[in-house]
Amino acid sequence: MSDKLKKRREIILRVLLVLSILAVLAVEIWYRLIDSPTELTTDIYSSLSRLFGTAVALVFMLEFSLGKILHPLGNKRASSILYILPAFAIAINNFPWVSFLAGDCSMSASAPDILFYAFMCLCVGLFEEIAFRGCVLMLLLKKRTHSKLAVFMAIFWSSVVFGAVHLVNIFTASPGAVILQIGYFALIGALCCTVLLETGNIWLCVFTHALYNFAGGVIPAFGEGTIWTGPEIAITAIVGVAVAVYSVVRFIKMPTERAAELFSGKENLINN
């Protein structure tokens, strides 16, 4: 890329960054000016905040040359499907299938309500994956691709940060529940990190994250009854342990240069 094109790219990115930040501020001001926001208004505010926050994180990625993982085809390795499927299994298993099929819980909602909830989950997955895997993990990895231990530490610390962010839930939940959330989300963060390493595709992380949130939240949002029965807990634990063991084995066998592949080559979506 010539100096002229680099300069033009820098200007465009800075303009996009300013516009994205202004959009976030505009949504925040709009919401604060509403005297008695309805549940729908709050949901719209939350979704818009995450979408514009994603725009800020995307510009940040491009500014620091982290954009290769934005390519929709990823690394194009057929073997990547061997890891995507277990990750999807975790996400799908977050729905209480045993309790639902046994009649211990039920759900009643219109199709538009469910679709809007799915959109909200997509906004959450989009923002959190671009911010924590696209920015935090990638920045930690950038100087740590030389050894398996260095890659592991990058995954560990980015997952810890992702889990710790959920400390904000202390204002709406009990301390015990928040501690469990922190640990659980740290593990989900690590799972998404390994999906990114295996596939080189951030969008698969977004989809996995959104599917996980939707599967686990749709019954509490629109249903009633008992979700966590004994059989449900047992199935969830079995699937979780199986995928965890599989993930560790895959990581151990993963070539050391896999992390470096996330940065090498042309950033097709940026420089073309």
Side-chain angles (χ1 to χ4, degrees), residues 132 158-167 178 181-186:
F132 290 97
S158 67
S159 301
V160 168
V161 170
F162 179 61
V165 166
H166 293 83
L167 271 171
V178 172
Q181 285 181 357
I182 291 172
Y184 202 63
F185 281 112

Side-chain angles (χ1 to χ4, degrees), residues 140-141 143-155:
L140 288 173
L141 276 176
K143 302 293 185 180
R144 296 173 175 84
T145 59
H146 56 282
S147 72
K148 192 68 67 68
L149 177 60
V151 173
F152 172 80
M153 293 307 298
I155 292 175

Side-chain angles (χ1 to χ4, degrees), residues 57-262:
L58 281 170
V59 174
F60 185 87
M61 285 182 64
L62 301 183
E63 179 66 28
F64 286 89
S65 301
L66 307 176
K68 185 183 178 184
I69 59 174
L70 295 173
H71 195 286
L73 295 181
N75 57 33
K76 304 179 185 179
R77 273 190 297 269
S79 61
S80 296
I81 195 68
L82 297 177
Y83 191 80
I84 297 170
L85 292 179
F88 284 175
I90 285 287
I92 294 171
N93 188 63
N94 203 32
F95 184 85
W97 293 104
V98 177
S99 299
F100 183 75
L101 294 176
D104 294 315
C105 62
S106 60
M107 181 178 66
S108 177
S110 65
D113 284 342
I114 293 177
L115 287 174
F116 183 68
Y117 183 74
F119 171 73
M120 290 175 59
C121 291
L122 180 61
C123 290
V124 173
L126 186 63
F127 171 68
E128 295 189 351
E129 290 308 310
I130 296 298
F132 290 97
R133 255 58 70 185
C135 294
V136 177
L137 174 66
M138 290 292 285
L139 284 175
L140 288 173
L141 276 176
K142 200 167 187 179
K143 302 293 185 180
R144 296 173 175 84
T145 59
H146 56 282
S147 72
K148 192 68 67 68
L149 177 60
V151 173
F152 172 80
M153 293 307 298
I155 292 175
F156 174 80
W157 286 115
S158 67
S159 301
V160 168
V161 170
F162 179 61
V165 166
H166 293 83
L167 271 171
V168 297
N169 294 334
I170 195 70
F171 299 106
T172 58
S174 65
V178 172
I179 291 174
L180 288 175
Q181 285 181 357
I182 291 172
Y184 202 63
F185 281 112
L187 291 175
I188 296 303
L191 177 65
C192 289
C193 287
T194 50
V195 168
L196 182 59
L197 281 173
E198 284 279 350
T199 66
N201 190 330
I202 191 71
W203 307 113
L204 288 174
C205 299
V206 171
F207 179 76
T208 301
H209 193 145
L211 179 61
Y212 178 87
N213 286 357
F214 177 82
V218 68
I219 291 292
F222 301 108
E224 59 183 5
T226 303
I227 295 177
W228 293 108
T229 61
E232 187 67 49
I233 294 173
I235 292 295
T236 300
I238 291 171
V239 174
V241 170
V243 173
V245 171
Y246 178 82
S247 300
V248 171
V249 172
R250 289 280 295 183
F251 180 77
I252 292 173
K253 293 183 177 181
M254 185 185 300
T256 304
E257 63 271 15
R258 187 64 54 82
E261 292 175 2
L262 300 178

